[in-house]
Amino acid sequence: MKKKPYLYPQIKLYVMKVKYTIVALMLFLCACTQRHLSDMELLRERITAQYMEAEIREDRLQAVLETVRDDGTWPGIDYADTSRIAFRHVEHLENMILMARAYKKTHRGDARLKQAINASLDFWLEHDFICENWWNNQIGTPGSMITLLYVLDRDLTEEQRERMIRIAGRANMEAPGARPSGDRVKIAGLYAKTELYRKNEKLFEEILKIIEGEMKFFREETDGRNAEGNLNRNYFAGGRGLQADYSFHHRPDRVNNTTTYGLGFLGSFVEFAELVNDTKYKFSDRSLHLAIDYFLDGVCRQMAYGRSVDPGVLNRDISRRGAGRRAGPELPESLRRISPYRGEELANIIKARRGEPFEAASFAKFFWQTEYFSFQRPSFFTSVRMFSTRNDNMEVPYNGEGLLNHYRADGANYLSMDGSEYFNLAPVYDYRKIPGTTIVQADTMPYEGEIQKKGLTGFAGGVTDGTYGAVAFDFISPHNPLSARKSWFFFDDLYVCLGAAISSTDRYPVATTLNQCFLKGDVLFSDGRETTTVRKGEWVSADSIRWIFHDRVGYLFPKVQKTVLSSRIQTGNWYRVNRQTSTSREEVKEDVFCLWINHGVKPVNADYEYIIMPATTVEEMKRYLENPSVRLLANTPRIQAVANSRMACCIFYEAGSIRLSEDITLRSETPCMLLAHLDGHNIRSITVSDPSRQLATVTLTLPENLQASGENVTVQPDKKNNTTTLTIRLPREDYAGKSETVQITR
């Protein structure tokens, strides 16, 4: 058959199209590969630039060079002591990093400097020092090695590089420290940097997924996977990680670590989120948004104005000089760069941290997973810290730190207006007089090994609508034979503190401390008739004190109670609270204001009432006393309650009734906490919570036929008795202890 010539051009055109398609595909694949390689190199350059950012202090550099020995060691470092409280070897690592940066930035070609770098590095590599504290071995030392790898890079010999990578490799997902905690993401970040340096792109990408995957609320059923996808045998369950209320637990003891390990966790995540933000490895919006939520709703809610860490959340770190100093803007600035989510709120925190004019938010926040409550108004920040059968009170004094922290979770109630009230006061503090606590005033503190204790009560909680709130603590001391029922009620310009059922069989007196802070200026007090100035060095003890004023804070006493105040010099030293080898033993003296109520020896069912008015004046305080806005409704072992014209807060330690006003009597059929917003003779809303975390519902009886709106409430009118019963369903599981609100209408 004769072929049709007109088909050849079509076939030829088809073949050409296929060839072009194949070539285009190959070019596309090459471009993708090139882009991928470019991302890897870009990230390496960025990390190197980060490590080179620090300024070189020439005086410090010269001191290091002048003291380094020929063998690469420095005097003053005990290289034989690798104990937890010593390990001055960290100074050796810091010296090497300083010299390496200087060599690459300002002293390139300096033979003397290069020789000192090689000698000190070879000395370390030869001895490979291992500390008794795992952190140094899996985070601290590997981090230093990684820094040196990126900074020195081609100035290293192949042997040096291989040995350094081996030490850096101790930060990996199989390391015991890589358990779910504040250190897991930090170790993963070091691991990722090592593999990026080695150009191991497959493993680097898998580690990035681990880092991003850790930004989640902890769930018991979550398993831990290493970069190879195998189950991590070092992964322990027990509540470590980010909690549903935006607090953070580093260990199964469920101690609050939000602004310490939790902040380190967030910082490590954000470092990589920003690093890869414009690359193919960019993190998902889900993880970025959760990181921002955690920062704003967790970390910043435990800091005065989002910039100064509340002393109430500090654990053993309170014994470190400089703990609680004002935070810088770097972290919120990074969060703004990686996502526009909640950008205005982040911008406001940045202004606060820069010292620029900002808007101080008003809020009330209860962290039900952590037994911690914070309350802020534009002129002050305050908090309450508790513990329970669910949460331990305090960290163990690891590494010889926080040696006097026994009572710092016993209802601690710190008050901050500028964040400096307690800064670096730790060495001279009287640790039996923690603000807000009721403590047996023994001559000596318990043994340091007895600091961490599980709570003996399950009734510890808060109720809040996000703007106002109250806290309750059915306190039983794990250290002394002492019990008390303590509560705090927070309003716009003041808060009320109540104590009832205070009983002790100890031979020492019991005291409830209102505050212990830096003494700033004179202290004034009045018995209602005469005002007296208490100067530095003086004590006052009286039953008739009506009010005390110090440093813009008013302390009001509605009833007669034996009150003691001191304004004197207190002495101590950092070594009494921190037994690190490098800790100073030099005597420290500070002027301290301290105010407490003396309940005497072996009190039985004693009580207290006081009001704290922050950011006030003597004139404003006097006007309040002439016309109080808050009424005390009850302060008994069964019920504690206060109210003003717009709101009532009640603590029911057992079922009972309370009269909120002439027209409103409310009954609870169970123990609970309650906040009711009032409108004249009506209730507009009711917020409830269960401090015990045992109840599925709270049942309330109100005096008239009402309607309540919400999916969580059942209404049962009783026309015969002219009452209404509300059954409010409470949050359960991870949200047990969270407040629940219902709206009320006639």
Side-chain angles (χ1 to χ4, degrees):
M1 178 181 292
K2 188 177 181 180
K3 295 181 180 179
K4 298 179 180 180
Y6 65 84
L7 290 178
Y8 287 110
Q10 294 182 4
I11 294 172
K12 186 176 182 180
L13 180 61
Y14 175 76
V15 171
M16 291 178 65
K17 286 183 178 180
V18 171
K19 288 182 178 180
Y20 287 146
T21 301
I22 293 173
V23 171
L25 181 60
M26 292 177 66
L27 290 174
F28 174 75
L29 292 174
C30 289
C32 289
T33 302
Q34 183 62 41
R35 167 62 190 275
H36 180 60
L37 292 176
S38 296
D39 280 348
M40 293 283 289
E41 291 303 319
L42 176 64
L43 295 180
R44 280 175 57 104
E45 291 176 3
R46 285 179 177 174
I47 292 174
T48 302
Q50 288 175 359
Y51 286 143
M52 294 293 291
E53 281 179 358
E55 295 184 6
I56 306 301
R57 282 186 50 192
E58 194 65 29
D59 58 338
R60 170 65 181 150
L61 175 64
Q62 292 306 315
V64 167
L65 283 174
E66 290 171 4
T67 54
V68 65
R69 300 184 180 114
D70 292 341
D71 64 353
T73 64
W74 280 271
I77 299 176
D78 183 354
Y79 288 92
D81 188 353
T82 58
S83 64
R84 299 175 66 91
I85 63 173
F87 205 65
R88 300 286 293 273
H89 308 65
V90 172
E91 297 174 22
H92 186 111
L93 295 168
E94 292 171 348
N95 291 344
M96 286 197 295
I97 291 172
L98 171 63
M99 293 191 300
R101 285 185 177 132
Y103 184 76
K104 297 302 286 282
K105 289 180 69 173
T106 58
H107 291 67
R108 187 70 178 176
D110 187 327
R112 177 190 174 203
L113 179 57
K114 185 64 166 61
Q115 181 181 2
I117 292 171
N118 281 330
S120 58
L121 178 57
D122 289 341
F123 179 84
W124 187 282
L125 296 176
E126 180 66 28
H127 293 83
D128 191 11
F129 296 100
I130 300 296
C131 181
E132 292 177 5
N133 184 354
W134 72 266
W135 187 94
N136 293 90
N137 308 323
Q138 297 173 36
I139 296 179
T141 300
S144 296
M145 287 295 142
I146 291 167
T147 301
L148 291 168
L149 282 167
Y150 277 90
V151 172
L152 293 173
D153 196 17
R154 295 180 182 177
D155 289 295
L156 296 167
T157 67
E158 189 61 33
E159 181 181 359
Q160 286 174 331
R161 188 179 295 109
E162 289 179 1
R163 295 172 77 176
M164 291 167 71
I165 287 174
R166 191 180 311 121
I167 295 174
R170 291 174 185 149
N172 63 76
M173 304 320 295
E174 288 294 326
R179 64 195 184 281
S181 66
D183 293 322
R184 181 170 171 80
V185 172
K186 188 172 292 186
I187 288 177
L190 295 174
Y191 191 16
K193 289 178 181 179
T194 300
E195 297 310 315
L196 178 64
Y197 181 83
R198 297 176 63 199
K199 300 182 180 180
N200 188 341
E201 57 186 287
K202 181 177 182 299
L203 190 51
F204 172 72
E205 188 170 1
E206 290 176 355
I207 301 168
L208 285 181
K209 292 178 182 178
I210 292 176
I211 294 173
E212 181 180 7
E214 285 298 302
M215 184 54 65
K216 63 190 175 189
F217 293 122
F218 180 83
R219 293 292 184 271
E220 290 287 349
E221 66 270 16
T222 304
D223 65 0
R225 300 281 170 178
N226 58 28
E228 290 76 30
N230 300 318
L231 190 65
N232 188 345
R233 62 178 180 272
N234 293 308
Y235 190 102
F236 301 106
R240 299 174 185 262
L242 181 58
Q243 305 297 302
D245 60 359
Y246 294 104
S247 62
F248 191 92
H249 296 162
H250 180 62
R251 301 182 181 90
D253 56 19
R254 297 177 58 82
V255 169
N256 187 8
N257 293 122
T258 306
T259 61
T260 50
Y261 289 101
L263 192 55
F265 153 78
L266 178 62
S268 297
F269 172 89
V270 172
E271 177 188 4
F272 273 87
E274 185 173 17
L275 184 71
V276 304
N277 199 41
D278 59 352
T279 71
K280 62 176 286 185
Y281 306 113
K282 177 180 171 64
F283 288 178
S284 68
D285 286 343
R286 180 208 64 79
S287 64
L288 299 180
H289 291 180
L290 182 54
I292 293 171
D293 287 340
Y294 171 51
F295 176 72
L296 291 172
D297 299 332
V299 173
C300 288
R301 290 295 190 261
Q302 299 188 21
M303 307 177 77
Y305 313 123
R307 64 187 183 188
S308 299
V309 174
D310 172 29
V313 302
L314 295 176
N315 298 298
R316 60 194 168 98
D317 37 309
I318 201 169
S319 65
R320 300 170 187 168
R321 190 192 300 269
R325 64 165 48 95
R326 181 178 294 187
E330 294 79 14
L331 181 56
E333 287 173 345
S334 293
L335 288 168
R336 282 202 78 192
R337 286 193 290 268
I338 62 178
S339 173
Y341 178 65
R342 301 181 72 174
E344 291 185 7
E345 295 170 81
L346 289 171
N348 191 52
I349 297 296
I350 292 169
K351 290 178 181 178
R353 294 187 172 194
R354 287 176 176 170
E356 300 172 0
F358 69 101
E359 183 178 347
S362 293
F363 65 82
K365 168 82 174 181
F366 180 59
F367 294 85
W368 63 87
Q369 289 282 356
T370 304
E371 321 288 19
Y372 172 81
F373 177 91
S374 61
F375 184 84
Q376 182 172 284
R377 289 299 182 263
S379 58
F380 71 94
F381 174 98
T382 187
S383 67
V384 178
R385 177 172 179 167
M386 305 170 289
F387 62 108
S388 69
T389 52
R390 299 172 293 273
N391 299 58
D392 288 3
N393 60 337
M394 189 63 55
E395 279 186 330
V396 169
Y398 298 106
N399 306 323
E401 298 178 302
L403 302 175
L404 299 176
N405 281 352
H406 304 73
Y407 303 111
R408 291 192 52 251
D410 293 10
N413 174 215
Y414 291 91
L415 171 63
S416 298
M417 289 179 290
D418 61 26
S420 66
E421 289 80 3
Y422 313 93
F423 182 67
N424 278 345
L425 196 53
V428 304
Y429 219 60
D430 181 347
Y431 286 86
R432 287 175 294 270
K433 290 189 173 67
I434 307 298
T437 62
T438 301
I439 298 173
V440 172
Q441 302 296 296
D443 291 339
T444 59
M445 294 289 286
Y447 170 58
E448 65 192 51
E450 295 294 318
I451 289 176
Q452 187 175 74
K453 294 287 186 180
K454 181 73 69 177
L456 301 176
T457 175
F459 197 98
V463 61
T464 175
D465 60 2
T467 304
Y468 301 96
V471 179
F473 192 14
D474 187 5
F475 173 63
I476 303 174
S477 173
H479 292 110
N480 305 99
L482 170 69
S483 59
R485 288 186 165 172
K486 300 168 65 67
S487 58
W488 297 259
F489 304 87
F490 297 88
F491 300 88
D492 284 314
D493 54 356
L494 59 83
Y495 55 97
V496 180
C497 309
L498 301 180
I502 302 170
S503 299
S504 173
T505 58
D506 203 291
R507 63 190 180 94
Y508 293 99
V510 175
T512 295
T513 302
L514 284 71
N515 207 351
Q516 182 187 184
C517 60
F518 279 110
L519 175 65
K520 297 180 180 179
D522 291 336
V523 180
L524 304 178
F525 79 92
S526 174
D527 59 3
R529 299 183 302 274
E530 183 180 358
T531 299
T532 304
T533 299
V534 182
R535 303 192 184 280
K536 186 170 67 174
E538 296 180 343
W539 287 67
V540 173
S541 178
D543 297 332
S544 58
I545 294 179
R546 187 79 189 280
W547 58 260
I548 292 171
F549 182 81
H550 168 252
D551 190 27
R552 299 174 291 156
V553 180
Y555 305 88
L556 287 64
F557 302 93
K559 59 173 285 186
V560 173
Q561 42 205 329
K562 188 169 185 178
T563 307
V564 185
L565 71 89
S566 73
S567 56
R568 62 188 179 93
I569 297 175
Q570 293 182 188
T571 62
N573 60 68
W574 285 99
Y575 195 76
R576 70 188 281 257
V577 294
N578 187 326
R579 203 175 298 125
Q580 295 275 313
T581 302
S582 57
T583 302
S584 172
R585 304 191 189 199
E586 182 180 352
E587 184 179 67
V588 177
K589 295 183 178 181
E590 299 289 357
D591 296 334
V592 177
F593 166 81
C594 193
L595 174 62
W596 67 94
I597 297 170
N598 184 0
H599 302 294
V601 178
K602 297 184 178 180
V604 178
N605 286 329
D607 58 23
Y608 64 79
E609 302 170 16
Y610 62 88
I611 298 171
I612 294 184
M613 294 184 66
T616 191
T617 65
V618 171
E619 290 70 26
E620 290 173 344
M621 189 169 50
K622 289 180 178 179
R623 283 196 294 270
Y624 175 85
L625 288 170
E626 292 172 358
N627 185 26
S629 61
V630 176
R631 295 176 291 118
L632 175 64
L633 302 180
N635 184 24
T636 73
R638 294 181 292 109
I639 300 176
Q640 292 173 317
V642 298
N644 64 11
S645 61
R646 304 185 312 277
M647 183 176 70
C649 296
C650 309
I651 314 299
F652 292 94
Y653 293 98
E654 56 188 65
S657 299
I658 187 73
R659 188 175 184 181
L660 305 184
S661 67
E662 292 183 3
D663 303 310
I664 303 174
T665 298
L666 182 148
R667 176 173 177 79
S668 174
E669 301 302 326
T670 60
C672 73
M673 302 182 67
L674 180 148
L675 185 157
H677 280 282
L678 309 176
D679 182 8
H681 302 297
N682 302 320
I683 299 177
R684 292 193 293 110
S685 67
I686 293 178
T687 301
V688 295
S689 71
D690 171 25
S692 70
R693 319 296 202 272
Q694 299 297 313
L695 302 176
T697 61
V698 166
T699 300
L700 306 174
T701 302
L702 304 177
E704 54 187 287
N705 293 327
L706 301 172
Q707 291 295 322
S709 59
E711 298 179 355
N712 57 341
V713 61
T714 301
V715 182
Q716 293 180 312
D718 185 344
K719 295 183 179 180
K720 179 179 179 180
N721 295 307
N722 196 29
T723 61
T724 297
T725 298
L726 304 182
T727 301
I728 304 172
R729 290 183 291 280
L730 296 172
R732 303 301 295 154
E733 298 179 351
D734 287 347
Y735 296 88
K738 185 176 183 292
S739 298
E740 194 71 28
T741 299
V742 296
Q743 302 300 317
I744 306 294
T745 57
R746 283 188 178 277

